[in-house]
Amino acid sequence: MYYLGIDLGGINIAAAVVDEAGKILGRYSRPTPKAPAVQVADEMARAARAAVEQAGLTLEQIASLGVGSPGAIDPTEGTVLYWCNLDFEHVPLGKLLEDRLRLPVYLENDANAAALGEYAAGAGKDSTSMVAITLGTGIGGGAVLNGKLYTGFNYAGMEVGHFVLEYHGRPCNCGRRGCFEAYCSATALIRQTRAAMEAHPDSLLWTAAGSLDAVEGRTAFAAQAQGDPAARSVVEEYQQYLACGIASLINIFQPEVFCVGGGVANAGETLLAPVRAMVAQEDYARNNPRQTRIVRAALGNDAGLIGAALLPVFR
């Protein structure tokens, strides 16, 4: 059986055909128009048809279309309740695509779709349960528990970036203070790196970045690798907060796999090995012979595509 998936982003619309194992058979990408929803749906349908053609198939051979979209989603109604980037408000995206492609359409939040992709075909494959976080501009999250995608009764569950690590701590864009996202997103890491550069004008952080405006999530890791003490302090503080957040999520869910993705995760074991050691000290079930495996995400940008396509399989 073949499934279509679309990852709708603010910049690009990516479409792919996958098989039951999550293997991509054909793909296509086109820019996302800054236009009304009906025109966005037109472009999504074009991308879908092109991906099917690339796979050497016809739409008649496709079982369904799954879509991962940013914003607040009502999957039962196939509606984007709100997405600020394209001014979507109560957009019946599922119905718009069904009318254009004559396929059953499944709609889900893009972070949930990415988590499902990793569970089905990536870092969480063959596990019973997985929690995933994405360390990017913010912190996204998703969970597959006992083989089913968890979204909460109102479909707004797993906003893991917004549980509080430090009461009355750093301000967060959500309006709260001390959120996980305010300490462990790539944005937070960049902010702390810049602060260290300003405090230490002789630091190798300046060599690694070139300027304050050029700081990236990897900057502190690059300077740390050269033995820079200011960079080491930034990385160690980041890892401590990250371990605290991961340990809290593990204590709540005790998943078989905890998957870490996003740009910061590209630091690999330099990031994760110390985090695992810290979590091992804070996991409530640390004396249990069965322990959660903390792993790096495996699928990159394909996670959302694969997860969206396989949405009907894990409903």
Side-chain angles (χ1 to χ4, degrees):
M1 193 169 288
Y2 305 113
Y3 303 92
L4 252 172
I6 291 180
D7 187 7
L8 174 61
I11 304 298
N12 290 307
I13 296 165
V17 176
V18 309
D19 62 16
E20 292 172 310
K23 180 182 177 182
I24 293 179
L25 306 176
R27 67 169 79 217
Y28 188 81
S29 178
R30 61 190 301 116
T32 304
K34 304 298 183 185
V38 290
Q39 290 177 242
V40 175
D42 287 340
E43 293 302 306
M44 293 172 73
R46 290 190 184 99
R49 292 190 183 95
V52 171
E53 184 178 347
Q54 286 287 321
L57 301 170
T58 65
L59 277 175
E60 288 71 26
Q61 294 173 278
I62 304 298
S64 59
L65 167 65
V67 178
S69 170
I73 306 297
D74 182 342
T76 60
E77 298 295 330
T79 300
V80 181
L81 299 175
Y82 179 69
W83 179 27
C84 59
N85 283 15
L86 289 185
D87 294 325
F88 277 18
E89 191 167 346
H90 293 279
V91 171
L93 190 58
K95 179 67 165 56
L96 291 173
L97 291 169
E98 284 177 1
D99 290 345
R100 285 158 174 77
L101 295 170
R102 304 301 176 187
L103 289 171
V105 177
Y106 298 83
L107 184 65
E108 187 53 79
N109 172 267
D110 56 350
N112 289 334
L116 183 57
E118 287 289 347
Y119 175 81
K125 187 176 181 180
D126 299 325
S127 68
T128 57
S129 58
M130 186 195 76
V131 170
I133 61 172
T134 304
L135 307 174
T137 304
I139 293 184
V144 182
L145 307 176
N146 298 319
K148 298 294 181 183
L149 187 64
Y150 174 78
T151 59
F153 86 100
N154 60 354
Y155 320 114
M158 293 308 296
E159 286 291 342
V160 299
H162 302 291
F163 76 86
V164 171
L165 286 181
E166 189 169 316
Y167 187 55
H168 285 319
R170 298 172 188 167
C172 182
N173 288 334
C174 75
R176 303 185 78 190
R177 298 185 71 93
C179 287
F180 190 24
E181 183 169 298
Y183 292 84
C184 294
S185 63
T187 304
L189 178 57
I190 289 168
R191 183 174 55 246
Q192 293 306 108
T193 302
R194 286 174 174 159
M197 290 168 68
E198 291 177 319
H200 302 279
D202 296 329
S203 169
L204 291 176
L205 288 165
W206 289 96
T207 303
S211 70
L212 288 174
D213 291 339
V215 172
E216 298 177 320
R218 61 187 175 184
T219 300
F221 291 96
Q224 180 201 36
Q226 298 178 62
D228 183 72
R232 183 172 64 250
S233 294
V234 170
V235 170
E236 287 179 352
E237 180 185 76
Y238 180 85
Q239 289 169 324
Q240 288 163 6
Y241 279 118
L242 182 60
C244 179
I246 290 175
S248 295
L249 290 169
I250 288 175
N251 284 340
I252 294 167
F253 292 103
Q254 291 297 337
E256 184 175 346
V257 174
F258 194 101
C259 175
V260 183
V264 180
N266 289 335
E269 287 304 297
T270 302
L271 171 70
L272 291 181
V275 167
R276 287 193 199 97
M278 294 179 218
V279 171
Q281 300 300 313
E282 298 188 19
D283 183 354
Y284 185 79
R286 57 188 172 273
N287 296 318
N288 194 305
R290 297 196 296 177
Q291 296 288 310
T292 297
R293 292 186 289 114
I294 301 172
V295 300
R296 182 181 171 189
L299 299 179
N301 292 334
D302 287 343
L305 270 175
I306 294 169
L310 295 179
L311 278 169
V313 179
F314 292 92
R315 288 292 188 188

